[in-house]
Amino acid sequence: MRVLFDQGTPVPLRDLLAGHEIATAYERGWSTYKNGDLLDAAELDRFEVLITTDTNLKHQQNLASRRIAVVVLMSASWPRIQKAIASVVAAVDGASVGSYVEVQVP
């Protein structure tokens, strides 16, 4: 799957998502895009999953019409996310068109 990391997503997570093509919003030149523009750009570039730490995304955007799956990490803290790696991997591996999943981070 083609996976895009939003600005707050810790880059070391990339190494733990084996088998997926990972890019960051920064690498794509999209680091200044607001959520709607970022989702539009990601869909146009055929990303299948967006991983973000923006817990308000579902309140700010109408995700019902989106083709991209959204995985929300409920913390941006890398040490905390490391404790939930199995859940993150499962959320990404199980993502489908337009799905939305919040991954609880201890």
Side-chain angles (χ1 to χ4, degrees):
M1 261 188 235
R2 293 190 75 216
V3 179
L4 179 68
F5 284 10
D6 196 2
Q7 274 304 105
T9 305
V11 175
L13 180 57
R14 165 184 263 157
D15 297 330
L16 301 172
L17 293 173
H20 298 288
E21 179 185 332
I22 310 292
T24 68
Y26 178 81
E27 291 167 347
R28 304 294 298 178
W30 301 340
S31 59
T32 60
Y33 286 11
K34 301 283 186 206
N35 288 334
D37 293 335
L38 180 62
L39 289 166
D40 289 343
E43 285 182 336
L44 284 172
D45 207 18
R46 299 201 165 133
F47 280 94
E48 298 163 282
V49 180
L50 171 70
I51 301 179
T52 184
T53 57
D54 184 351
T55 58
N56 291 315
L57 182 67
K58 70 179 178 182
H59 303 293
Q60 298 165 343
Q61 299 295 316
N62 179 3
L63 299 174
S65 63
R66 293 291 179 179
R67 295 182 314 273
I68 192 167
V70 177
V71 174
V72 179
L73 306 178
M74 300 306 284
S75 172
S77 167
W78 177 235
R80 290 178 61 196
I81 291 169
Q82 286 177 295
K83 296 176 185 174
I85 289 300
S87 297
V88 175
V89 170
V92 173
D93 288 347
S96 61
V97 173
S99 66
Y100 176 90
V101 175
E102 292 180 351
V103 178
Q104 298 303 316
V105 178

